């Protein structure tokens, strides 16, 4: 049982912090979201929840998609949330630029305000019904995964201290992945933004003005602001 297992942390020299890990030797079975989608599509008989999943898949209309959460583990019930995963740059941007979403998940706004200790107004401003909403009475969410290999720990950073700054954010598809990556331009200076709080991914996508509070890191390549630092947390919000 994962909840009862010992949580191990490992020191990450790139950012001078420790992160929770699960070793490969402890993994008994690897369940893949894309295989679960195929299983649901190929079923000879489907439940009401399966029918809603298939209906949503047809409306999302991307090729590289999977399903995770309780449905992947086969522990779902009739009102379980539907948690989709979309892979790769093209399908991620196609989805984000064409899918409009459905009903607003007001519970998410309230829960996010409480869990992250942010105002209701900020929770509303970062909410996007494209990736979190309600369809036919069932909650859905969408995660995005970069399917390209990337070099681990290529940048070494030293912690400078908290920073609050406003400016113009420029975020491409990498802002929608985890961790979210974008660039902030403020007073002729450029900062790399790296968010380990997934709730801010959509506000880091695109080009607009934001205010950011996070931990400033002096890195080899860019001055980087970390959102989700264990000492101070941090936030991203629209700036007028």
């Amino acid at each position: 049982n994962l909840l009862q297992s010992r949580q191990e942390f490992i020191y990450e020299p790139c950012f001078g912090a420790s992160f929770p890990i699960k070793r490969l030797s402890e993994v008994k079975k690897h369940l893949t979201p894309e295989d679960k989608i195929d299983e649901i599509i190929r079923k000879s008989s489907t439940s009401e929840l399966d029918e809603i999943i298939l209906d949503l898949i047809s409306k999302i209309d991307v090729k590289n998609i999977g399903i995770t959460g309780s449905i992947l583990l086969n522990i779902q019930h009739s009102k379980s949330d539907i948690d989709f995963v979309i892979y790769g740059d093209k399908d991620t941007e196609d989805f984000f630029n064409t899918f409009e979403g459905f009903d607003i998940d007001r519970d998410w706004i309230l829960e996010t305000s409480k869990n992250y200790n942010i105002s209701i107004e900020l929770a509303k401003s970062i909410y996007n019904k494209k990736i979190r909403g309600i369809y036919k009475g069932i909650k859905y969410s969408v995660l995005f995964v970069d399917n390209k290999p990337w070099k681990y720990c290529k940048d070494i950073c030293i912690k400078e201290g908290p920073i609050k700054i406003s400016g113009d954010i420029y975020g491409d598809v990498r802002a929608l992945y985890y961790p979210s990556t974008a660039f902030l331009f403020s007073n002729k200076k450029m900062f790399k933004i790296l968010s380990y709080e997934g709730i801010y991914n959509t506000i880091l996508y695109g080009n607009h003005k934001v205010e950011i509070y996070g931990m400033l890191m002096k890195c080899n390549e860019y001055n980087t602001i970390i959102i989700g630092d264990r000492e101070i947390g941090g936030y991203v919000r629209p700036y007028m």
Side-chain angles (χ1 to χ4, degrees):
N1 189 316
L2 184 60
L3 295 177
Q4 296 176 342
S5 64
R6 179 177 63 89
Q7 181 65 73
E8 181 181 0
F9 288 78
I10 192 167
Y11 182 73
E12 164 61 87
C14 300
F15 293 104
S18 295
F19 291 85
I21 66 165
K22 183 59 63 178
R23 295 186 180 275
L24 186 61
S25 59
E26 298 177 279
V27 177
K28 294 182 178 179
K29 187 176 183 181
H30 180 208
L31 304 174
T32 64
E34 54 272 30
D35 286 343
K36 174 54 72 172
I37 284 279
D38 287 342
E39 177 188 318
I40 293 171
I41 291 172
R42 297 173 192 279
K43 276 184 180 179
S44 56
S45 62
T46 54
S47 66
E48 184 177 348
L49 184 60
D50 289 335
E51 292 296 332
I52 294 174
I53 291 169
L54 293 170
D55 196 10
L56 270 172
I57 291 171
S58 69
K59 296 180 186 302
I60 291 173
D61 193 26
V62 297
K63 181 180 178 181
N64 297 298
I65 188 170
I67 196 162
T68 185
S70 62
I71 296 171
L72 176 60
L73 297 174
N74 289 321
I75 57 172
Q76 75 274 20
H77 52 78
S78 61
K79 296 296 182 181
S80 285
D81 296 357
I82 302 171
D83 303 305
F84 290 108
V85 183
I86 293 176
Y87 300 92
D89 294 355
K90 184 180 185 304
D91 280 350
T92 294
E93 294 207 281
D94 284 350
F95 165 86
F96 204 80
N97 292 324
T98 60
F99 184 69
E100 294 299 326
F102 293 98
D103 296 333
I104 295 173
D105 183 356
R106 301 188 189 281
D107 289 343
W108 184 92
I109 295 171
L110 295 173
E111 291 165 4
T112 299
S113 173
K114 180 180 178 180
N115 294 339
Y116 289 85
N117 194 29
I118 61 177
S119 68
I120 291 289
E121 290 71 25
L122 178 53
K124 286 180 179 178
S125 73
I126 62 177
Y127 174 79
N128 192 311
K129 67 180 183 178
K130 291 175 185 282
I131 63 171
R132 299 176 185 91
I134 299 174
Y135 181 67
K136 294 186 176 180
I138 300 295
K139 293 183 180 182
Y140 66 85
S141 68
V142 184
L143 299 173
F144 308 101
V145 173
D146 186 358
N147 57 4
K148 301 185 302 297
W150 49 279
K151 187 176 180 181
Y152 176 71
C153 204
K154 69 176 184 178
D155 219 8
I156 304 297
C157 301
I158 299 172
K159 188 175 290 188
E160 294 278 293
I163 183 173
K164 182 186 287 185
I165 189 170
S166 60
D168 294 297
I169 199 76
Y170 289 85
D172 59 18
V173 68
R174 292 171 293 176
L176 299 173
Y177 296 143
Y178 184 88
S180 302
T181 304
F183 290 90
L184 180 76
F185 292 84
S186 178
N187 295 323
K188 298 182 179 180
K189 293 182 180 179
M190 184 177 74
F191 299 85
K192 182 179 180 179
I193 308 301
L194 191 62
S195 176
Y196 288 94
E197 298 289 10
I199 62 172
Y200 298 115
N201 64 346
T202 57
I203 198 171
L204 290 171
Y205 181 70
N207 172 215
H208 44 266
K209 293 188 180 297
V210 297
E211 179 183 273
I212 289 177
Y213 176 64
M215 184 64 73
L216 178 63
M217 310 289 288
K218 185 77 173 180
C219 303
N220 294 346
E221 191 173 7
Y222 300 105
N223 285 328
T224 300
I225 300 174
I226 301 291
I227 313 299
D229 176 83
R230 293 180 70 182
E231 289 182 28
I232 65 167
Y235 62 76
V236 184
R237 65 185 181 194
Y239 183 78
M240 303 301 180

